[in-house]
Amino acid sequence: MWNEYKSLRVTDEGKLLRVELNRPEAGNAISGEVLTDLLGVLTALEDDRTIRVMVLSGAGDHFCRGGDRSEFPELLAEDLSGTALRALATKAQRVCEALSRLGVVTVAQLHGDVIGAGLGLAVFCDLRVGAENCRFRMPEVGLGVPPAWGGVLDRLPAEVGQAWVRRLLLTAEEFDAMRAERLSILHEVVPLDDLEDAVARLVKPLVRRDPTTMRITKAMLAARANAAQLSVGGYYDAELLTAAVTRRWAVRGQ
């Protein structure tokens, strides 16, 4: 069941499912294939009553260096109106929504670059542990496109706060693991060599919890956070991203 994904390495350890982004040669950039595979895993987990924790990590030197922008020209070549690009952005939104409503506890195991869409994936996880070598950035504004990916502009302020998100988005500045911990993007920072052990310590009590109680608790937390409203703005992300990227590539082509 878990061996059918080309861009992910999925390992079933009984009550724990490990999902590793497996495009190290591309910095684990999130392509359409990655989104399809992630959606497949998350959809299967919705009906699974064995898995209690999912750990999301990245192969190679980085967790994820962002969305795979190399796909944009090809997608626009298929249809200049942006239909294919819009479908890609909508799929990203579906992945993030699936992460946010998943009944199992999700843990992001982060190292190296955690950029753009990679940071988006991370903040949609329940818990986040990062190595000291983590470097975070939301570069979209600097690249000439809005930060419209998967509803991250709704999720980030809920986790971090409006004031800091405003600074991070408008300046596109890089920040390290210690600042990420102060901002509550990371729950724990450890040396790179200790990252796997730190995640294992976090996961150990979680897999012992009653799964029904955990699902109900997550649903209660989501309700208290007004999760239904968090996704409202995200519905516009696909349209905003498509319009911005289509315009940018059209200008380049002139």
Side-chain angles (χ1 to χ4, degrees), residues 41-64:
V41 170
L42 297 172
T43 300
L45 275 176
E46 287 181 353
D47 298 321
D48 191 287
R49 291 299 179 265
T50 301
I51 304 298
R52 300 185 185 182
V53 179
M54 185 193 85
V55 173
L56 180 64
S57 63
D61 295 331
H62 305 287
F63 171 71
C64 177

Side-chain angles (χ1 to χ4, degrees), residues 21-99:
L21 304 176
N22 193 28
R23 300 184 70 210
E25 73 289 346
N28 294 318
I30 300 175
S31 63
E33 182 177 63
V34 172
L35 291 172
T36 297
D37 287 350
L38 281 172
L39 195 57
V41 170
L42 297 172
T43 300
L45 275 176
E46 287 181 353
D47 298 321
D48 191 287
R49 291 299 179 265
T50 301
I51 304 298
R52 300 185 185 182
V53 179
M54 185 193 85
V55 173
L56 180 64
S57 63
D61 295 331
H62 305 287
F63 171 71
C64 177
R65 305 196 75 186
D68 191 346
R69 294 189 301 277
S70 67
E71 292 186 323
F72 290 176
E74 182 178 342
L75 292 173
L76 288 173
E78 293 178 18
D79 183 355
L80 290 176
S81 70
T83 300
L85 182 59
R86 187 176 296 106
L88 180 70
T90 299
K91 190 180 296 184
Q93 179 187 329
R94 291 176 61 199
V95 166
C96 292
E97 287 179 349
L99 263 178

Side-chain angles (χ1 to χ4, degrees), residues 3 16 46 55 66 119 137 139 148 151-152 156 160 193 195 197:
N3 298 320
L16 169 65
E46 287 181 353
V55 173
L119 178 53
R137 190 158 58 96
V152 68
L156 259 179
V160 175
D193 291 343
L195 181 59
D197 289 341

